[in-house]
Amino acid sequence: MTKTIGLIVGSLRKASYNRMVAQTLSELDASIAFKWIELKELPLFNEDLEAGDGPEAVQVFKAAIQAVDGVIIVSPEYNSGIPGVLKNAIDWASRPSRSSVLRRKPFGLIGATPGGMGTVHAQLQTRHILESVQAQVLPFQKLLISQVHTKVDAEQHRLTDEKTKEYLQAYLQKFVHWIDHVPTLD
Ligand SMILES: Cc1cc2nc3c(=O)[nH]c(=O)nc-3n(C[C@H](O)[C@H](O)[C@H](O)COP(=O)(O)O)c2cc1C
């Protein structure tokens, strides 16, 4: 059956390299339906706003995660950590804590940076955070894209480096396999 994969970009920047990577990822396999799940409308997390159904943007965000078979996050790293907008989004999605849309949801993590460390710190932190809310993060795999500015066509908003596209393709295949094999134990 056709898999539906949500794409979350951890940068709000218009010319985001991570968005270019996500765009290219979304064009690699026509048999997969990709859905963009955006962060820019989410308010800052505040428990006071959780009364009732909560803010509409949050409801839309959670419903989008609920609707997909898995989510791939493509994110930069800020100051050796997870970007605030991404952490904010995860905090919203993690509620209510025992029955959140993140529970058992398969997640993949990809990151790109003009720097040399490929967002490794942010990815480790994001994995830790997602696992703490019982999301199912693809194990043993890291896709770290360094020197990303040398691997894109910025005007076309696409990643163009062939080797990196091969890594993306391989990651995607493993992620789709992971969706079908996530453990069902609590
Ligand atoms: C506040 C701030 C902190 C940053 N810290 C890091 C960092 O720790 N590691 C890193 O590789 N790049 C860091 N960068 C550079 C980002 O990787 C770079 O701005 C990147 O292009 C952001 O991703 P985007 O192109 O998807 O928006 C930082 C950038 C900003 C604005």
Side-chain angles (χ1 to χ4, degrees):
M1 217 172 76
T2 303
K3 292 280 186 292
T4 304
I5 295 180
L7 288 176
I8 290 178
V9 177
S11 166
L12 303 184
R13 203 166 74 86
K14 281 199 191 76
S16 162
Y17 291 122
N18 284 278
R19 188 167 288 275
M20 293 179 205
V21 171
Q23 181 64 47
T24 299
L25 182 74
S26 75
E27 295 166 357
L28 286 177
D29 189 336
S31 73
I32 298 171
F34 289 93
K35 304 276 181 199
W36 294 92
I37 303 178
E38 301 293 346
L39 308 185
K40 63 180 184 298
E41 304 299 337
L42 291 173
L44 288 177
F45 182 76
N46 177 347
E47 281 190 72
D48 291 342
L49 303 181
E50 291 190 291
D53 292 331
E56 192 184 341
V58 173
Q59 293 173 44
V60 169
F61 178 66
K62 291 203 273 192
I65 293 174
Q66 181 84 62
V68 294
D69 297 311
V71 178
I72 295 180
I73 296 173
V74 188
S75 179
E77 166 176 294
Y78 290 152
N79 299 317
S80 302
I82 178 172
V85 288
L86 181 56
K87 178 63 164 61
N88 184 58
I90 293 172
D91 289 342
W92 275 119
S94 71
R95 311 281 284 173
S97 59
R98 284 168 195 271
S99 57
S100 88
V101 294
L102 300 179
R103 219 162 162 261
R104 294 191 175 150
K105 184 66 65 176
F107 269 82
L109 301 175
I110 295 172
T113 170
M117 299 281 280
T119 75
V120 65
H121 302 103
Q123 285 197 34
L124 288 172
Q125 287 178 13
T126 309
R127 175 179 294 275
H128 175 74
I129 292 161
L130 286 172
E131 287 178 352
S132 80
V133 295
Q134 294 179 293
Q136 305 275 25
V137 186
L138 178 64
F140 311 125
Q141 304 294 323
K142 285 194 195 68
L143 212 171
L144 307 169
I145 305 175
S146 301
Q147 313 293 326
V148 67
H149 57 298
T150 68
K151 297 172 180 169
V152 298
D153 180 333
E155 286 190 1
Q156 297 296 316
H157 283 267
R158 300 288 191 285
L159 180 89
T160 47
D161 181 69
E162 288 303 324
K163 197 76 204 162
T164 310
K165 281 162 81 170
E166 283 174 26
Y167 292 141
L168 285 176
Q169 182 73 262
Y171 191 93
L172 197 52
Q173 278 171 8
K174 284 178 188 137
F175 186 66
V176 168
H177 182 79
W178 174 239
I179 288 174
D180 286 330
H181 293 86
V182 287
T184 52
L185 292 174
D186 274 324

